[in-house]
């Protein structure tokens, strides 16, 4: 259920607002509707958070794990973060220098030991000398009058020194400048020595950083503390202030804000306001208000929360809490999409290991682990029903597995034709068509539930007739889908069962349902106005019938995706099976099986997100007129470790 809220406006004296906020934070029951604040302190706190998070990131490597954490204050955490980031910057500078020196050594490698001081000594003695490396053919074309000293000759190139003297020597040096070898600033020996120094310095820095590894938890705690302080400052500076006097003789002012409190906590807030002489206005929230949403369900239904939190889906306060329906249908969708009992066993085994570890460590079992376990059980049940295990052909599975499957949808009877009792002749249904009917039936059930929920909300208004019309349309279009998509011979429009013209009834339901929806869907006190609203949006109204058809057909994706996953499993098995007969290729076969089925499971997870969740958050929700426009109830409270 969505917890009932009350809208409150709280008024305090301007000079008492920080004190009031501290008391409200201690109470931890009010969601304050202030989103923006300003001030130097907020900027400073944001800088501290950036500094602390940078330090935490630097200490996130594996080598810093399992180090005993120290209990430190927030100021100690900030000081440590400053030192860590400073050390990291120094290390970065050293590494940049190291890369440059290594590159320089690589450039000098073919020249051997180079010392620029020796060359400078020659220059000081009046010997103008420079070094070059160029193709041998071009070297041979240098005039003989130019003095060169060959240092190394290969088949294709020459390294040499050019003694620049006279005009001809200068001209040659100018022509060859593109081949000139630039001398290093320091000798190769000094470069190597500097690299050793840098290595020792970086090792020293690493040791110093490791020394702060015990501060990691304290810095994370300080980040949360800073975030809570920012929240406090945002509320304090974002609170509206009103002066009590325009003359300037009285500097008194009042501050106020709006917020929301759970209805059950309202007496507590009243008591706090009374004790502190605060002004308190209590109102019923309206649809124009940005009311936060808090969901409250039993432990089983609450298992869906890790998934909805991951998706970031929150119903609006005036929308529906479909947590229970979401959980029930996503379990069915998950089982159909994964579809393989072996996959279900693997998923259940992973969940069991995680749950056992939590129990052994005496921690509360996370809801996510239990949800994964349910997904595994759902997949095993569907694999059992369809006799799908490890992508193996049904006839190769143990007989007892074949017997406990459900015949109409089981792979054991994949080639069998099923003849409904109302058919006389050759028309029948295949197992694949039975699965399609199951998917469409799921669509009918889920979408009818949506309209029943809307009808319940409209039960005190004749607008409920529009909801009943929508249900009639769904039932009629369901039969149309079976005829168009599954089998027009079995589900023909001329079908008569027990004297009832089923096909004709389906068409009548669509027409009657459309008329009822057209007349009453927009009812707000006047049938005439409701019809006028439908006429204004006649295109959308007509497209609505098509949308109902497409929404039901959309559920065939469950069968299609499950079929694709089964085909991948079978293909992987076919590729690996010839290798299993040869001991030499056994390892390759095992790797292929693990990789192939692992990849298939990953694709199935994506399919659940893309298809299974879509059916809940789009098709189902659209028939509830839900837009998932809500945001979570987040009361202002003390920091919790």
């Amino acid at each position: 259920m969505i917890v009932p809220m009350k809208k409150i406006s709280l008024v305090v004296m301007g000079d008492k607002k920080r004190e009031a906020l501290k008391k409200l934070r201690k109470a931890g029951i009010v969601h304050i509707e202030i989103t923006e604040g300003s001030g130097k302190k907020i900027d400073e706190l944001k800088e501290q958070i950036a500094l602390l998070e940078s330090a935490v990131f630097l200490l996130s490597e594996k080598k810093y794990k399992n180090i005993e954490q120290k209990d430190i204050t927030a100021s100690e955490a900030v000081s440590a973060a400053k030192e860590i980031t400073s050390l990291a910057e120094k290390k970065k500078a050293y590494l940049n220098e190291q890369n440059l020196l290594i590159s320089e050594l690589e450039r000098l490698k073919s020249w051997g030991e180079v010392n620029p001081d020796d060359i400078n000594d020659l220059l000081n003695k009046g010997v103008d000398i420079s070094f070059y490396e160029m193709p041998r053919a071009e070297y041979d074309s240098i005039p003989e009058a130019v003095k060169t000293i060959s240092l190394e000759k290969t088949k294709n190139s020459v390294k040499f020194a050019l003694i620049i003297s006279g005009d001809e020597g200068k001209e040659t040096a100018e022509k060859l400048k593109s081949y000139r070898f630039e001398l290093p600033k320091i000798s190769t020996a000094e470069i190597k020595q500097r690299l050793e120094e840098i290595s020792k310095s970086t090792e020293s820095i690493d040791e110093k950083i490791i020394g702060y590894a015990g501060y990691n938890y304290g810095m994370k705690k300080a980040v949360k503390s800073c975030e809570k302080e920012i929240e406090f400052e945002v509320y304090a500076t974002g609170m509206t202030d009103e002066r009590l006097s325009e003359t300037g003789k009285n500097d008194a002012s009042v501050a106020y804000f709006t917020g929301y409190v759970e209805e059950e906590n309202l007496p507590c807030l009243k008591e706090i306001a009374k004790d502190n002489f605060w002004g308190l206005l209590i109102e019923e929230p309206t649809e124009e208000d940005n009311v936060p949403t808090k969901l409250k369900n039993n432990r089983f239904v609450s298992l869906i929360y890790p998934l909805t939190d991951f998706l970031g889906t929150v119903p609006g306060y005036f929308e529906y809490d479909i947590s229970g329906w979401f959980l029930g249908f996503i379990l069915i969708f998950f089982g159909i999409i994964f579809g393989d009992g072996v996959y279900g066993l693997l998923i259940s085994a992973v969940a069991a290991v995680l749950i056992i570890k939590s129990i052994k460590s005496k921690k509360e079992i996370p809801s996510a682990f239990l949800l994964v376990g349910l997904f595994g059980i759902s997949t095993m049940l569907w694999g059992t029903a369809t006799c799908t295990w490890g992508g193996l052909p049904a006839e190769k599975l143990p007989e007892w597995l074949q017997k406990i499957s459900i015949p109409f949808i089981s792979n054991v009877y994949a080639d069998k034709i099923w003849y409904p009792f109302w058919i006389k002749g050759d028309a029948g249904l295949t197992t694949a068509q039975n699965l399609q009917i199951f998917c469409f039936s799921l669509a009918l059930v889920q979408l009818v539930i949506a309209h029943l929920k809307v009808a319940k909300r409209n039960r005190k208004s004749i607008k409920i007739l529009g909801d009943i019309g929508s249900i009639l349309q769904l039932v009629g279009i369901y039969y149309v889908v079976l005829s168009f998509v599954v089998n027009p011979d079995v589900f023909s429009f001329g079908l008569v069962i027990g004297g009832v013209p089923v096909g004709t009834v389906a068409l009548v339901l669509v027409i009657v349902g459309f008329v009822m929806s057209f007349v009453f869907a927009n009812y707000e006190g006047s049938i005439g106005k409701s019809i006028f609203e439908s006429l204004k949006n006649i295109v959308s109204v007509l497209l609505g019938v098509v949308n109902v058809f497409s929404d039901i057909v959309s559920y065939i994706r469950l069968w299609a995706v499950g079929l694709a996953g089964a085909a991948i499993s079978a293909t992987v098995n076919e590729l690996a099976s010839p290798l299993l007969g040869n001991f030499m290729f056994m390892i390759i076969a095992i790797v292929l099986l693990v990789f192939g089925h692992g990849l298939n499971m990953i694709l199935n997870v994506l399919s659940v997100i893309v298809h299974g969740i879509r059916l809940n958050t789009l098709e189902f929700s659209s028939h509830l007129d839900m837009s998932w426009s809500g945001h979570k109830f987040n009361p202002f409270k003390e920091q919790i470790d």
Side-chain angles (χ1 to χ4, degrees), residues 277-341:
F277 304 101
W278 299 339
L280 180 63
L281 174 66
I282 302 165
E283 301 173 277
E284 285 293 332
T286 66
E287 293 193 14
E288 286 72 34
D289 294 320
N290 189 26
V291 190
T293 303
K294 181 178 180 180
L295 302 178
K296 187 176 183 181
N297 289 292
N298 59 49
R299 181 165 173 76
F300 177 74
V301 173
S302 299
L303 295 179
I304 195 63
Y305 292 166
L307 180 58
T308 53
D309 289 344
F310 169 74
L311 296 171
T313 52
V314 181
Y317 179 75
F318 293 100
E319 294 182 340
Y320 301 91
D321 176 18
I322 60 168
S323 300
W325 297 112
F326 197 127
L327 177 62
F329 281 106
I330 196 62
L331 287 174
I332 297 171
F333 299 159
F334 189 99
I336 295 173
I337 288 172
F338 267 74
D340 193 300

Side-chain angles (χ1 to χ4, degrees), residues 6 13 98 146 194 197 201 212 258 331 376 392 474 530 542 578 598:
K6 293 291 184 182
M13 296 302 296
Q98 184 183 59
V146 177
R194 180 58 183 160
E197 292 172 359
S201 297
Y212 286 105
T258 58
L331 287 174
L392 296 171
L474 273 169
S530 178
L542 292 173

Side-chain angles (χ1 to χ4, degrees), residues 485-504:
V485 180
V486 179
N487 193 318
D489 295 323
V490 175
F491 302 100
S492 69
F493 289 105
L495 178 63
V496 178
I497 301 177
V500 178
V502 178
T504 303

Side-chain angles (χ1 to χ4, degrees), residues 584-604:
M584 296 292 291
F585 295 105
M586 184 76 73
I587 295 176
I588 297 174
I590 293 171
V591 170
L592 180 59
L593 286 170
V594 171
F595 175 78
H597 286 287
L599 179 62
N600 194 24
M601 292 185 73
I602 293 171
L603 292 174
N604 284 339

Side-chain angles (χ1 to χ4, degrees), residues 335 344-345 347-348 370-383:
L345 283 169
I347 295 168
S348 299
L370 297 171
L371 181 61
V372 171
L374 287 177
F375 284 150
I377 293 170
S378 171
T379 307
M380 281 193 292
L381 290 174
W382 185 256

